[in-house]
Amino acid sequence: MALKNKVQSIVVSWWRKNPLLLSTSRTLNTSATGYDNQILKSPPLVSLDFPDVWTSSSTNYNPPSTHKLGSDEKEIARVIDGKQIAEEIISAVGVEVRRMKKTIGEVPGLGVILVGERRDSLTYVRNKMKACEEAGFKFDLTQFSDKCNEDEVIDAIMRFNTDPSFHGILVQLPLPQHLNEEKILGVLRLEKDVDGFHPMNMGHLAMRGREPLFIPCTPKGCVELLIRSGVEIMGKNAVVIGRSNIVGLPVSLLLQRHNATVSVVNESTSNPEEITREADIVVSAVGIPNLVRGDWIKPGAVVVDVGTHPVEEEGGCEEGGYRLMGDVCFEEASRVASSITPVPGGVGPMTVAMLLCNTLQSAARKYNFV
């Protein structure tokens, strides 16, 4: 055992001193194995890359709707049940995992690194662990105090990098402020970046004709929810509120790849209500409770609420005496929108389901399992 640990230490040290090895995946074939097509409804992105040809009819102007709800109108939006859809997807993933184990004797492995004890992060990791157990994944959690240093976290990533039984690595974000998030995530091997945050994955997401190895889980879950709910994306006006690297930026890129016309509202936008009111699809991901009010929503729009903000509450529904609130004032928006995701129970479970899909895809790619 001592010899094994010594050898592993030498390998990790050598790996860290050879930065070219960290990017060997740049030459990887980024074609998917087909698992997303088997389990998910979302098509490969390259299949959506239609020729960019403009016609005179493309520029016809249609004025925005001026309809406003009257006092006697009480229509309630359809609630998109992300929890139920996620359970269906995780069940389908489990079927494939059992087939993989029976056929080649292998199962997908996910390694998770958690720094600190944020209550929301602990909840998210616990949900991921539970889903992995249900689907038959190998799961390992490495946890550090919020006082740890970067080298400790990087060493943990390197152990997962060099362990062939782990096909996906996830560093639970956000990290404490004293840690360099970019540096830490940069160590993670591209072919195990199941969160999809590697610059090459993001770059391929942004470019027509390219397919990323992995699409970031939350944006991927948002689009899968829309597709499974029968929401047309192509040609629609979409507004994304927030521009974070985790959700806002990648979901705007993904909606563009699905041929929506996308506007991004950020903290410097002077008229966010007016811009949002033009949208057929609204995706909000800023983490500010009740930021988006009912009068921000165009009648009949579809609202996807990604925001999660823990609010202290005696006897709260979440463990630890708090409950999660979204960016959207649900009571108001649900009387204007045609469909809306709740918080919790909307996008959150889909994020976990997409993580499992990405990890299964990674394992299938490694073993050439179809």
Side-chain angles (χ1 to χ4, degrees):
M1 181 62 72
L3 178 60
K4 179 181 178 181
N5 291 338
K6 183 176 181 180
V7 170
Q8 186 180 52
S9 176
I10 293 172
V11 170
V12 169
S13 176
W14 176 67
W15 193 293
R16 293 178 64 180
K17 292 177 182 178
N18 288 270
L20 287 177
L21 291 175
L22 300 179
S23 57
T24 53
S25 306
R26 292 175 182 174
T27 60
L28 284 178
N29 180 1
T30 59
S31 61
T33 62
Y35 268 102
D36 278 359
N37 292 339
Q38 294 176 22
I39 296 174
L40 305 182
K41 303 295 185 182
S42 304
L45 296 183
V46 292
S47 71
L48 302 170
D49 293 335
F50 304 119
D52 194 16
V53 178
W54 290 75
T55 65
S56 58
S57 62
S58 301
T59 58
N60 288 346
Y61 174 71
N62 291 314
S65 169
T66 58
H67 172 75
K68 295 182 179 180
L69 281 180
S71 58
D72 59 337
E73 294 184 82
K74 300 295 182 181
E75 292 187 8
I76 302 297
R78 174 181 55 144
V79 177
I80 300 175
D81 191 344
K83 184 176 180 181
Q84 179 181 341
I85 295 173
E87 288 173 352
E88 294 171 359
I89 293 171
I90 292 171
S91 177
V93 169
V95 171
E96 288 300 296
V97 171
R98 290 190 292 274
R99 187 170 71 88
M100 177 182 286
K101 184 175 182 180
K102 181 178 180 181
T103 304
I104 63 175
E106 302 284 354
V107 298
L110 177 65
V112 175
I113 296 168
L114 174 63
V115 181
E117 297 185 355
R118 282 178 54 118
R119 291 181 303 181
D120 52 347
S121 292
L122 288 168
T123 298
Y124 301 150
V125 169
R126 185 166 56 247
N127 291 340
K128 291 164 186 174
M129 182 186 304
K130 180 182 177 182
C132 283
E133 291 173 352
E134 290 177 1
F137 280 36
K138 176 179 179 178
F139 182 91
D140 186 86
L141 173 63
T142 300
Q143 190 168 2
F144 297 102
S145 76
D146 55 10
K147 304 298 183 183
C148 72
N149 58 50
E150 288 175 1
D151 285 343
E152 291 178 279
V153 180
I154 289 173
D155 284 341
I157 294 175
M158 296 308 302
R159 286 193 293 272
F160 287 133
N161 271 346
T162 57
D163 190 332
S165 67
F166 288 98
H167 311 93
I169 306 170
L170 182 144
V171 179
Q172 184 65 46
L173 301 177
L175 293 171
Q177 290 186 351
H178 72 282
L179 298 178
N180 186 325
E181 183 176 296
E182 181 179 356
K183 177 182 177 182
I184 288 172
L185 294 179
V187 176
L188 199 153
R189 291 187 65 167
L190 173 59
E191 63 267 32
K192 297 189 179 187
D193 174 39
V194 290
D195 243 350
F197 296 148
H198 191 285
M200 185 165 288
N201 275 323
M202 294 287 277
H204 279 209
L205 178 61
M207 297 178 68
R208 290 165 56 83
R210 300 293 183 92
E211 193 83 37
L213 277 177
F214 307 105
I215 298 172
C217 299
T218 298
K220 186 174 181 176
C222 291
V223 170
E224 183 69 16
L225 276 179
L226 292 174
I227 292 173
R228 286 180 177 249
S229 301
V231 176
E232 181 68 40
I233 302 175
M234 181 186 300
K236 300 300 183 180
N237 290 331
V239 167
V240 177
I241 304 174
R243 54 179 174 177
S244 71
N245 288 338
I246 297 174
V247 182
L249 173 61
V251 82
S252 67
L253 295 174
L254 188 55
L255 287 168
Q256 287 186 68
R257 291 295 296 272
H258 280 261
N259 299 293
T261 301
V262 183
S263 300
V264 178
V265 171
N266 61 64
E267 65 278 6
S268 300
T269 303
S270 60
N271 56 339
E273 305 97 327
E274 295 177 19
I275 295 174
T276 305
R277 206 174 292 126
E278 298 296 317
D280 304 301
I281 300 169
V282 177
V283 180
S284 186
V286 292
I288 299 178
N290 292 336
L291 170 70
V292 180
R293 312 301 300 225
D295 59 5
W296 286 39
I297 308 300
K298 180 173 77 172
V302 177
V303 179
V304 179
D305 191 352
V306 186
T308 54
H309 183 83
V311 177
E312 297 280 353
E313 185 175 87
E314 193 69 30
C317 60
E318 294 291 337
E319 195 172 308
Y322 72 96
R323 64 186 179 95
L324 293 177
M325 291 186 65
D327 291 349
V328 180
C329 181
F330 185 88
E331 292 76 11
E332 294 179 7
S334 63
R335 297 191 178 278
V336 185
S338 61
S339 299
I340 188 170
T341 63
V343 176
V347 175
M350 289 296 293
T351 299
V352 176
M354 297 304 103
L355 174 64
L356 266 61
C357 285
N358 282 355
T359 306
L360 172 61
Q361 186 181 45
S362 178
R365 184 182 288 123
K366 175 183 177 181
Y367 300 126
N368 293 315
F369 181 75
V370 295

